[in-house]
Amino acid sequence: MKSSRRTFLITSLGVASTLALSRQAFADAPKVADTDPTAQALGYKADASKVDKARYAKYAAGQDCSNCSFYQGKATDAYANCPMFAGKQVAGKGWCSAYNKKA
Ligand code: SF4
């Protein structure tokens, strides 16, 4: 009885610390800068209102990463991963020319 409780506690601690670690790794992923070469190629801006509208006529007000189908986080997340920028996080309020409205 005692030993199974200890096992349970140890297992729970292990799971909790693994979760904490992966959460930490996620939170620490670098943010994509507007000056990043991929960002420049895709016209990414961390602030969608700063998108070069003359160059990206497809941009429409209200479009941003948080409502793009490629955004890997919840719509309310300030930053999340995006497959266009492997290993980095894009801003929920950002935008790039690969934008695809979430269905
Ligand atoms: Fe944002 Fe979508 Fe572009 Fe990714 S593909 S940077 S989520 S607009």
Side-chain angles (χ1 to χ4, degrees), residues 44 65 68 70-71 82 84-85 90 94-96 98-100:
Y44 171 84
C65 294
C68 169
F70 295 113
Y71 196 60
C82 164
M84 305 304 153
F85 300 92
V90 297
W95 186 92
C96 89
Y99 175 86
N100 182 49

Side-chain angles (χ1 to χ4, degrees), residues 16-78:
S17 58
T18 306
L19 278 176
L21 275 177
S22 55
R23 204 170 266 240
Q24 187 69 31
F26 188 71
D28 284 349
K31 316 275 189 284
V32 175
D34 292 0
T35 51
D36 180 295
T38 310
Q40 291 190 326
L42 291 174
Y44 171 84
K45 295 286 180 198
D47 176 352
S49 70
K50 299 207 167 85
V51 167
D52 181 346
K53 286 137 193 131
R55 193 164 164 204
Y56 300 103
K58 69 174 257 184
Y59 170 77
Q63 294 181 349
D64 64 23
C65 294
S66 71
N67 58 42
C68 169
S69 65
F70 295 113
Y71 196 60
Q72 314 270 288
K74 292 188 294 263
T76 50
D77 288 343

